[in-house]
Amino acid sequence: NAGVTQTPKFRILKIGQSMTLQCAQDMNHNYMYWYRQDPGMGLKLIYYSVGAGITDKGEVPNGYNVSRSTTEDFPLRLELAAPSQTSVYFCASRMKETQYFGPGTRLLVL
Amino acid sequence: DQQVKQNSPSLSVQEGRISILNCDYTNSMFDYFLWYKKYPAEGPTFLISISSIKDKNEDGRFTVFLNKSAKHLSLHIVPSQPGDSAVYFCAAESGGYQKVTFGIGTKLQVIP
C-alpha cells in the first residue's frame, strides 16, 4: 500500500492563480481531511469528507474548495491564490481513531 | 481561541531519561485525545491515544495520562531515545471522527 499520497510536493503560485492539490489514498478509508500548517502553528482543518459525495467545512475553509467523487481521491482547489495561503498542506485519511497523513505539499504564493 | 494548548514550544532531554510533554484543553466536550509525532518534511504519524473514560494508556515506551478535572494530559516517553527527536502534537476531538483540534506542537530534542 502506498498509503496517502500528495502531489505536488512543492509549488510556487502567483497571486490570483489557481491550482489543485491532489490527494489519494489506497486504504479504502471513508474519512478524509485537508489541513494546513502555518509556521509555529498547529494543523488547522480546512475541509473534510465522510465518504464519496459528502464534504463539509472545517475551521478555515475560505478560499478553498473540495470535491469527493471517489473514495480514493480528495482534491483541494485554490481558485484565487493569496499570500495568506502560503502554508504546508496535509491530506489525511482515517480508520477508527488513527489518521494517516500524506507527506504534505508546500505552497508559496507570491 | 486555542482549545488545545501546548505551552512548551521545545524540550531537551538526555538519552535514557524521561520526556514529559504536556497538553491542556479548554473544551469539556472533548472525549478522545491523541498524540502525533512529526519529523521534518514528513506528515504527522499517530503515536498513542486515550479515551476520556480512561486516565492512562500505555504502549511500549509511551504512556499518556489524562486528568479530566484539570483538563490536562501528558505524554511520557521512557526511556527517551535520539530517534524520538521530533515535534509532538496533542490533538482532541468530540462526538465522532469529523473534526480534530490540534495543538501547536512541542519540539523534543533527545541528546545522545
Side-chain angles (χ1 to χ4, degrees), chain A residues 29-55:
Chain A
H29 292 165
N30 285 323
Y31 288 82
M32 293 188 75
Y33 308 80
W34 273 108
Y35 295 91
R36 59 177 286 174
Q37 186 188 14
D38 300 328
M41 303 296 288
L43 284 78
K44 301 281 188 186
L45 181 64
I46 305 171
Y47 270 95
Y48 68 97
S49 170
V50 302
I54 307 170
T55 63

Side-chain angles (χ1 to χ4, degrees), chain B residues 79-94:
Chain B
S80 301
Q81 299 173 353
D84 296 329
S85 297
V87 176
Y88 289 78
F89 290 100
C90 175
E93 61 187 37
S94 62

Side-chain angles (χ1 to χ4, degrees), chain B residues 18-76:
Chain B
I18 184 171
S19 295
I20 301 176
L21 292 88
N22 294 304
C23 178
D24 298 294
Y25 62 96
T26 57
N27 188 341
S28 58
M29 298 300 292
F30 287 143
D31 57 10
Y32 206 81
F33 303 90
L34 311 98
W35 285 93
Y36 282 83
K37 176 173 153 179
K38 184 182 181 302
Y39 292 118
E42 294 184 11
T45 54
F46 172 76
L47 190 58
I48 193 169
S49 62
I50 188 168
S51 164
S52 61
I53 62 173
K54 295 185 174 181
D55 54 18
K56 177 182 175 181
N57 189 26
E58 199 169 349
D59 184 1
R61 296 186 297 114
F62 303 92
T63 303
V64 57
F65 296 92
L66 175 62
N67 182 335
K68 281 197 300 182
S69 60
K71 293 191 176 69
H72 176 83
L73 63 154
S74 60
L75 174 68
H76 292 211

Side-chain angles (χ1 to χ4, degrees), chain A residues 33 37 42 94 96-97 99 102, chain B residues 34 36 43 93 97 100 103:
Chain A
Y33 308 80
Q37 186 188 14
R94 180 167 187 161
K96 295 184 180 178
E97 74 274 9
Q99 289 192 55
Chain B
L34 311 98
Y36 282 83
E93 61 187 37
Y97 297 162
V100 179

Side-chain angles (χ1 to χ4, degrees), chain A:
Chain A
N1 285 353
V4 179
T5 57
Q6 292 184 239
T7 56
K9 284 188 169 56
F10 175 67
R11 180 80 182 266
I12 299 174
L13 276 184
K14 293 183 179 178
I15 295 171
Q17 286 186 318
S18 62
M19 78 165 291
T20 299
L21 283 69
Q22 301 292 345
C23 174
Q25 52 98 3
D26 60 359
M27 296 173 282
N28 202 34
H29 292 165
N30 285 323
Y31 288 82
M32 293 188 75
Y33 308 80
W34 273 108
Y35 295 91
R36 59 177 286 174
Q37 186 188 14
D38 300 328
M41 303 296 288
L43 284 78
K44 301 281 188 186
L45 181 64
I46 305 171
Y47 270 95
Y48 68 97
S49 170
V50 302
I54 307 170
T55 63
D56 205 351
K57 295 177 181 178
E59 191 179 351
V60 289
N62 291 346
Y64 306 94
N65 275 303
V66 292
S67 60
R68 185 94 183 271
S69 56
T70 66
T71 300
E72 294 77 20
D73 300 299
F74 190 38
L76 178 72
R77 179 84 177 162
L78 283 71
E79 291 294 349
L80 290 169
S84 61
Q85 294 177 305
T86 292
S87 191
V88 180
Y89 292 83
F90 291 101
C91 176
S93 69
R94 180 167 187 161
M95 170 59 73
K96 295 184 180 178
E97 74 274 9
T98 304
Q99 289 192 55
Y100 298 86
F101 285 84
T105 293
R106 184 175 296 273
L107 178 66
L108 180 60
V109 182
L110 298 174

